[in-house]
Amino acid sequence: MRVTHRFASRSYSTLNLAKASSKSVFPNERYFKPEIVTGEVPGPKSKELLQNLNNVQDLRTTHFVSDYSKSSGNYIADADGNIYLDTFMQISSIPLGYNHPALIEAAKSEEWVTTAINRPAVGINPSSDYYKLLMDSYMRVAPKGLTQVQPLSTGSEAIENAFKAAFMWYQQNQRGGPTQPFSKEDLDSCMANSAPGSPQLSILSFSTCFHGRSMAALSVTRSKALHKVDIPAFDWPVAPFPHLKYPLDQYEKENRATEDACLAEVEKIIKSCTKPGRYGPVAAVVVEPVQAEGGDRHASPYFFQSLRRITKEQGVIFIVDEVQTGGGGTGKFWAHEHWDLQDSPDIVCFSKKLQAAGFFYKKELTPNMGYRIFNTWLGDPLRALQLRTIIDVIEKDDLLKNVNETGRVLFDGLRQLEKTYGHKGLIKNVRGKGCFGAFDCKDPATRDALIMELRRRGVEAGGSGESTIRLRPALVFTSKHAEIFLNILNECMSKL
Ligand SMILES: Cc1ncc(COP(=O)(O)O)c(C=O)c1O
């Protein structure tokens, strides 16, 4: 359902909430709007609990302490009884909102209980129903062309192991194929961390990207110095990510030139790394479909198609990091489906909205022997069960359609707010796909003030990059919720 907004006036009441779709895709959502009952947020209970928590765990990053038993659908409750409309959803990681009845029901089953209390070391003793579970969960959403999955535990772990798969594939090819044995020199030298057993190979990533905080993932991360400072890093190359002008459809010509310059640099780096020099040969290129932590930076399908072409021509693995974009937030299950690729990526990493992490990959990337990509758990079958139910609900309730419908209302409203409040530096460069959206403020202080003002009025929102606000609602966020959010944003902007 299409809802029209009128933001010309600063008055909150100009928006007609009654016109918003009354359709709810979250059954019996407990709240109809946010409600803040404490004078300030976080409230006193939240503060006290946080003080205790910080005595034993460093949780200085906390927004507020939550009460998940009282949270429902798109609304998160805090320890003081405040109810917030959640547009951030645990850093983009909750697909169906809080306490979805289908998940509650599934969790009561004997299958869930057995799986929860008997967590297997999957690489050693997978259960007799594990194959069926893999097929009913991960493999149901496997990106086109990727026939293999490696479940793991976090986004960073997915990235780390995707790099290992790319390195092993590269070296295997150097040796003449998977059946060729390791040489004695390879086996001896790797024990001293030196070549040829520990080869000088590299991963090419992009400026302002984020791929996680474990060691190799952090080496390719380029979004914030604070993430990286003090940590030894692999000396790997970086290419410029196109910083485009928005709206993309109005700046196609300029943006194409920017993208072409970045692509030329990618090709140059890959070619120069085959010669002796600072970096070893590039085994893989890793890229996010939308640079999320780095400030919601978009590039065009042409850019990604060209990256796929270049990596293929140069014999380099193409890794698409869908940790934040995967799972439906962009209106397609995988954001890279928006690119219309002739040939799929070689590896797709996932986590967050799937509630289970890991990577999908092409069969030829399977290592030559077992134990080469391995750890105690190799994921968690409980998370696969959860994913199975999540996919059931996404399909049954047609949630991707809902994301696209809601997205139209959301962006329509944001663009109107941009017209009204752009001159105040509160909102510019509105951008996004589905409900995976963002806008910039004029500076970091203004962004932070707007996030705080939203929270005071009962909206949980997240920042990214220098001065960006990112929207990462659940797939059950409807046009009704979008209207409530837009109205509160309108109030905040008229006040600031
Ligand atoms: C694109 C991307 N890759 C990797 C990661 C790391 O995931 P995790 O925090 O689960 O290790 C994140 C986390 O925000 C991410 O956004």
Side-chain angles (χ1 to χ4, degrees):
M1 181 182 186
R2 199 69 209 255
V3 181
T4 42
H5 306 281
R6 259 169 282 113
F7 287 126
S9 148
R10 287 182 185 176
S11 155
Y12 181 45
S13 60
T14 54
L15 292 172
N16 185 355
L17 285 185
K19 276 199 206 157
S21 165
S22 57
K23 191 185 83 177
S24 175
V25 291
F26 189 94
N28 303 320
E29 193 169 44
R30 196 161 155 180
Y31 310 102
F32 296 101
K33 60 180 174 49
E35 192 170 357
I36 297 301
V37 294
T38 52
E40 53 176 29
V41 289
K45 256 200 199 142
S46 211
K47 278 190 182 149
E48 191 190 325
L49 287 166
L50 187 56
Q51 219 165 27
N52 292 341
L53 285 169
N54 271 317
N55 285 335
V56 288
Q57 184 178 349
D58 183 357
L59 288 172
R60 286 171 292 177
T61 47
T62 298
H63 293 182
F64 49 78
V65 178
S66 306
D67 183 341
Y68 291 106
S69 70
K70 296 205 176 80
S71 303
S72 171
N74 295 279
Y75 292 92
I76 182 168
D78 75 8
D80 291 276
N82 294 311
I83 308 297
Y84 307 81
L85 179 65
D86 195 344
T87 66
F88 193 40
M89 280 289 160
Q90 314 290 328
I91 328 180
S92 190
S93 70
I94 305 289
L96 305 182
Y98 299 104
N99 291 308
H100 195 286
L103 284 167
I104 294 175
E105 203 44 44
K108 289 180 191 158
S109 69
E110 210 178 300
E111 189 185 22
W112 270 61
V113 174
T114 308
T115 309
I117 65 175
N118 299 289
R119 186 177 183 182
V122 168
I124 303 293
N125 297 119
S127 72
S128 53
D129 52 7
Y130 190 56
Y131 172 72
K132 184 165 183 340
L133 180 57
L134 283 181
M135 299 311 285
D136 289 347
S137 55
Y138 302 104
M139 297 316 294
R140 249 164 98 195
V141 291
K144 200 166 139 236
L146 305 190
T147 57
Q148 314 293 306
V149 67
Q150 179 58 72
L152 293 156
S153 300
T154 64
S156 300
E157 210 191 334
I159 291 287
E160 293 283 327
N161 284 283
F163 292 174
K164 280 179 61 180
F167 291 140
M168 288 189 263
W169 172 86
Y170 188 95
Q171 286 301 90
Q172 214 164 266
N173 286 349
Q174 298 293 306
R175 269 184 215 106
T179 54
Q180 296 304 308
F182 305 112
S183 69
K184 181 167 183 322
E185 197 189 3
D186 284 339
L187 297 174
D188 289 345
S189 57
C190 76
M191 295 308 286
N193 290 353
S194 42
S198 299
Q200 195 199 5
L201 295 176
S202 62
I203 304 284
L204 176 61
S205 65
F206 289 90
S207 55
T208 53
C209 70
F210 183 91
H211 298 289
R213 298 158 191 268
S214 55
M215 298 296 278
L218 194 57
S219 289
V220 293
T221 285
R222 319 270 180 181
S223 55
K224 248 192 209 164
L226 256 194
H227 299 328
K228 290 169 75 79
V229 66
D230 291 342
I231 318 289
F234 288 106
D235 187 13
W236 287 343
V238 56
F241 191 78
H243 288 186
L244 302 184
K245 282 189 162 175
Y246 303 98
L248 295 178
D249 54 359
Q250 275 177 35
Y251 293 99
E252 270 178 20
K253 209 165 149 214
E254 277 167 87
N255 287 342
R256 176 61 68 95
T258 307
E259 292 189 330
D260 279 335
C262 295
L263 290 164
E265 195 59 26
V266 168
E267 200 158 357
K268 194 170 126 200
I269 292 170
I270 295 175
K271 285 181 175 162
S272 70
C273 285
T274 56
K275 303 180 194 98
R278 179 169 158 198
Y279 312 113
V282 175
V285 169
V286 62
V287 73
E288 295 160 87
V290 178
Q291 285 196 333
E293 300 298 316
D296 275 50
R297 296 178 193 278
H298 290 251
S300 71
Y302 162 81
F303 178 75
F304 294 105
Q305 287 159 9
S306 305
L307 273 186
R308 172 64 288 190
R309 176 184 52 75
I310 292 168
T311 48
K312 197 161 180 138
E313 284 169 5
Q314 300 300 321
V316 164
I317 294 298
F318 183 43
I319 303 175
V320 176
D321 179 352
E322 291 248 25
V323 165
Q324 189 147 165
T325 49
T330 69
K332 293 191 186 279
F333 195 87
W334 300 110
H336 75 265
E337 291 172 48
H338 289 283
W339 307 338
D340 244 338
L341 290 181
Q342 299 280 318
D343 184 13
S344 59
D346 299 305
I347 296 180
V348 171
C349 297
F350 61 89
S351 183
K352 292 198 187 263
K353 273 203 174 49
L354 282 85
Q355 292 278 302
F359 64 96
F360 292 102
Y361 60 102
K362 287 185 175 164
K363 179 111 177 130
E364 56 264 37
L365 278 154
T366 308
N368 59 349
M369 355 173 123
Y371 276 120
R372 302 203 70 203
I373 289 186
F374 188 83
N375 62 35
T376 305
W377 305 121
L378 287 185
D380 182 353
L382 185 62
R383 297 298 158 194
L385 276 177
Q386 191 170 353
L387 176 60
R388 187 178 75 187
T389 301
I390 289 166
I391 301 168
D392 287 345
V393 174
I394 291 176
E395 286 178 0
K396 184 172 80 53
D397 293 348
D398 214 349
L399 291 186
L400 297 188
K401 185 164 169 245
N402 176 62
V403 169
N404 287 310
E405 282 176 4
T406 306
R408 280 191 282 277
V409 174
L410 190 62
F411 286 107
D412 194 22
L414 287 173
R415 292 208 171 95
Q416 297 208 36
L417 287 172
E418 186 171 11
K419 278 191 200 134
T420 310
Y421 298 109
H423 70 282
K424 288 172 95 178
L426 293 169
I427 177 166
K428 61 179 175 176
N429 297 333
V430 170
R431 56 197 181 273
K433 283 201 171 71
C435 286
F436 195 101
F439 60 88
D440 297 330
C441 300
K442 68 177 176 211
D443 52 39
T446 306
R447 187 269 311 273
D448 295 347
L450 186 51
I451 287 178
M452 271 320 297
E453 195 56 39
L454 280 164
R455 198 166 297 145
R456 270 185 220 114
R457 289 163 192 264
V459 170
E460 169 66 344
S464 66
E466 287 245 314
S467 45
T468 301
I469 291 188
R470 61 176 147 165
L471 302 173
R472 300 290 189 268
L475 310 180
V476 294
F477 194 76
T478 62
S479 52
K480 177 185 69 178
H481 302 101
E483 285 270 337
I484 294 169
F485 165 67
L486 290 164
N487 276 308
I488 295 175
L489 188 60
N490 184 41
E491 276 188 337
C492 293
M493 289 184 168
S494 65
K495 180 169 179 275
L496 284 176

